[in-house]
């Protein structure tokens, strides 16, 4: 009995210490997030320093202090797990992107955005995968099979456009902002869909049948993920319109929109679909239908609530990136094989640049031709209408 009591006592003590560490980590991050917001606000007029750069810089400074405080053991106090990112931080960012997007500009340039986001990502994926498979053979990077090279291509074909959007104004340059924003979202979604599809196939032997099944799986993921997001968005609009929650409580309307948006993402993850595509199109549908069925107070609340959640998640990620740069364990691994690490990084950077250039220039050229063709058609139509009107006027 005494042994059992002692074991329980030690267990409770260990749990208490772990809880104390978690409280300290959360307290530190909340304080750092507040500092990022305040300093970012003070530097708002500086076009060269945005909130993302501010968060990374604060993360670097904090990581340096922690590294000295722990005598070189660790530069961060919170473990950034895959679950934390994909379940808690990513959904509000993607949903707010769909909810706040300028739908007229987005769908007006939908074919161009799709060309850059899907076709371009596939081109970049192929170049990075094939290039790494050929160039990594000359380096001692360990055993990598075909599925590993394809996974590398899927991961590095995703390029984040957050920093680019920080220096663009949606009101001053709506077309450019719409193209960059739309391509960034579709690009990320395409990369995730490709990576998820790769996990389902045995790629040790690629045949025409495997390639066809892979293409079918890719199309299935795109279609079902999009339809699921649209369905949940329409369901939320129907429920709120018919039950009219605003008569009793604004909080219920806001809570239902937030929960249904998050539910769409979780359902997609539950059935191994693309949660990014699902929650993105759910946000678009909610902003077009659900948002107009709620009360005026709920409209203001939901708009700012989604933007706030997305903003906090983004700052949290950039803050952790700054702290993670000084992770001593990663630098130890790099230090053991410095030449190989530099070579691998250089090759990947070169392949990413080649992959982007390989589809940006051709697709931009095609897009400009289409735009000029459309302008030419409009001009001809205008001339025909003018000539017809002039002829009728003279006849009259």
């Amino acid at each position: 009995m005494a042994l059992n009591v002692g074991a329980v006592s030690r267990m409770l003590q260990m749990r208490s210490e772990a809880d104390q560490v978690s409280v300290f980590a959360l307290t530190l991050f909340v304080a750092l997030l507040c500092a990022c917001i305040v300093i970012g606000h003070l530097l708002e007029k500086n076009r060269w320093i945005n909130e993302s750069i501010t968060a990374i810089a604060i993360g670097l400074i904090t990581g340096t202090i922690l590294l000295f405080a722990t005598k070189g053991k660790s530069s961060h106090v919170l473990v950034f797990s895959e679950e934390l990112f994909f379940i808690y931080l990513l959904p509000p960012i993607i949903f707010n992107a769909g909810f706040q997007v300028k739908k007229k500009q987005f769908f007006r340039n939908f074919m161009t955005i799709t060309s850059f986001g899907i076709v371009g990502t596939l081109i970049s994926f192929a170049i990075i995968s094939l290039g790494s498979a050929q160039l990594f053979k000359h380096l001692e990077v360990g055993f990598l099979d075909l599925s590993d090279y394809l996974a590398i291509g899927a991961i590095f074909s995703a390029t984040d456009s957050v920093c680019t959007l920080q220096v663009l104004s949606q009101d001053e340059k709506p077309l450019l902002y719409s193209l960059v924003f739309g391509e960034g979202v579709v690009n990320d979604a395409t990369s995730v869909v490709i990576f998820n599809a790769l996990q389902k196939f045995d790629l040790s032997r690629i045949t025409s049948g495997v390639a066809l099944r892979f293409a079918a799986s890719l199309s299935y993921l795109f279609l079902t993920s999009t339809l699921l997001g649209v369905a949940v968005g329409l369901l939320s609009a129907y429920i709120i319109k018919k039950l009219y929650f605003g008569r009793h409580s604004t909080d219920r309307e806001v809570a239902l929109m937030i929960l249904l948006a998050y539910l769409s993402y979780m359902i997609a993850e539950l059935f191994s679909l693309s949660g990014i595509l699902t929650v993105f199109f759910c946000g678009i549908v909610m902003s077009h239908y659900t948002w107009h069925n709620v009360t005026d107070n709920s409209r203001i609340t939901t708009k700012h609530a989604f933007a706030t959640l997305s903003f906090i998640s983004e700052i949290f990620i950039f803050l952790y990136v700054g702290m993670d740069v000084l992770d001593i364990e990663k630098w130890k691994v790099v230090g053991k094989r410095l030449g190989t690490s530099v070579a691998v990084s250089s090759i990947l950077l070169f392949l990413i640049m080649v992959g982007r250039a390989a589809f940006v220039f051709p697709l931009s050229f095609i897009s400009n031709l289409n735009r000029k063709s459309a302008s030419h058609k409009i001009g001809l139509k205008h001339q025909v209408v003018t000539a017809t009107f002039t002829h009728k006027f003279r006849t009259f």
Side-chain angles (χ1 to χ4, degrees):
M1 183 67 180
L3 290 175
N4 290 338
V5 172
V8 170
S9 177
R10 285 194 297 272
M11 226 177 184
L12 291 174
Q13 185 177 359
M14 291 173 60
R15 183 174 296 178
S16 177
E17 292 175 357
D19 292 341
Q20 190 68 23
V21 171
S22 300
V23 170
F24 172 74
L26 291 175
T27 303
L28 176 63
F29 263 91
V30 171
L32 291 175
L33 287 172
C34 293
C36 290
I37 293 172
V38 173
I39 297 175
H41 173 71
L42 295 175
L43 299 175
E44 186 177 7
K45 294 183 179 179
N46 192 323
R47 61 175 298 182
W48 302 108
I49 301 177
N50 51 43
E51 290 169 335
S52 304
I53 297 175
T54 303
I56 293 176
I58 292 176
L60 280 169
I61 296 171
T62 307
T64 304
I65 296 172
L66 289 173
L67 201 61
F68 282 107
T70 58
K71 298 180 180 179
K73 292 181 180 180
S74 177
S75 63
H76 44 70
V77 293
L78 186 66
V79 178
F80 193 84
S81 63
E82 181 181 347
E83 179 184 359
L84 175 65
F85 178 75
F86 283 101
I87 303 299
Y88 301 107
L89 297 178
L90 187 60
I93 295 174
I94 302 300
F95 177 80
N96 184 67
F99 194 80
Q100 303 287 351
V101 68
K102 299 288 186 182
K103 293 181 288 296
K104 184 180 294 186
Q105 283 288 343
F106 181 82
F107 287 105
R108 181 182 296 170
N109 303 287
F110 187 73
M111 293 305 298
T112 305
I113 291 171
T114 305
S115 300
F116 281 111
I118 298 179
V119 180
T121 304
L122 291 173
I123 295 173
S124 182
F125 162 71
I127 290 175
I128 296 173
S129 299
L130 295 175
S132 59
Q134 294 298 321
L135 297 176
F136 282 3
K137 292 179 180 178
H138 304 285
L139 302 174
E140 297 179 0
V141 294
F143 177 75
L144 294 175
D145 56 17
L146 181 60
S147 60
D148 295 323
Y149 291 120
L150 292 175
I152 289 173
I155 292 171
F156 286 99
S157 61
T159 53
D160 196 358
S161 56
V162 172
C163 292
T164 307
L165 295 175
Q166 291 284 341
V167 297
L168 292 177
S169 174
Q170 190 170 7
D171 297 323
E172 294 178 1
K173 299 179 180 180
L175 175 60
L176 182 59
Y177 187 94
S178 175
L179 291 176
V180 174
F181 170 79
E183 188 275 336
V185 173
V186 178
N187 167 264
D188 290 344
T190 305
S191 300
V192 172
V193 169
I194 292 174
F195 185 81
N196 290 336
L198 289 173
Q199 310 305 312
K200 299 179 180 180
F201 292 93
D202 181 14
L203 301 175
S204 57
R205 294 181 179 179
I206 295 182
T207 61
S208 58
V210 172
L212 287 174
R213 288 198 300 272
F214 178 75
S217 177
L218 213 60
S219 303
Y220 169 78
L221 284 174
F222 266 106
L223 184 61
T224 51
S225 301
T226 302
L227 291 178
L228 177 60
V230 172
V232 175
L234 292 176
L235 177 64
S236 67
Y238 179 80
I239 292 174
I240 289 179
K241 182 178 181 179
K242 290 297 181 181
L243 299 182
Y244 193 47
F245 287 92
R247 289 180 300 179
H248 306 289
S249 173
T250 300
D251 300 336
R252 293 177 184 175
E253 286 183 323
V254 177
L256 188 63
M257 288 184 66
I258 293 175
L259 291 175
L260 283 174
Y262 190 68
L263 181 63
S264 69
Y265 182 86
M266 296 308 299
I267 291 175
E269 292 296 316
L270 181 64
F271 290 99
S272 300
L273 302 176
S274 173
I276 292 179
L277 271 178
T278 298
V279 78
F280 176 70
F281 279 98
C282 181
I284 291 178
V285 174
M286 276 193 174
S287 67
H288 191 70
Y289 293 104
T290 311
W291 194 72
H292 295 285
N293 290 329
V294 299
T295 59
D296 293 337
N297 290 334
S298 295
R299 291 178 188 177
I300 298 173
T301 304
T302 51
K303 183 178 180 179
H304 291 289
F306 293 138
T308 301
L309 291 173
S310 173
F311 174 76
I312 293 175
S313 299
E314 287 182 4
I315 296 298
F316 182 93
I317 292 171
F318 284 113
L319 183 63
Y320 189 90
V321 167
M323 297 174 69
D324 197 56
V325 169
L326 300 173
D327 191 345
I328 196 67
E329 296 298 327
K330 294 184 176 68
W331 284 106
K332 284 181 180 178
V333 174
V334 173
K336 291 178 182 179
R337 305 177 66 181
L338 182 60
T340 304
S341 301
V342 172
V344 169
S345 301
S346 302
I347 289 172
L348 286 175
L349 181 60
F350 171 74
L351 291 174
I352 291 171
M353 294 174 65
V354 172
R356 296 295 288 181
F359 77 82
V360 167
F361 290 112
L363 291 179
S364 298
F365 180 72
I366 294 172
S367 176
N368 288 333
L369 285 180
N370 292 334
R371 198 177 300 279
K372 289 179 181 179
S373 176
S375 300
H376 180 65
K377 290 179 181 178
I378 292 173
L380 288 176
K381 184 178 180 181
H382 176 72
Q383 292 177 9
V384 170
V385 172
T386 304
T388 304
F389 177 79
T390 304
H391 175 72
K392 289 184 177 181
F393 181 76
R394 287 175 178 175
T395 304
F396 176 78

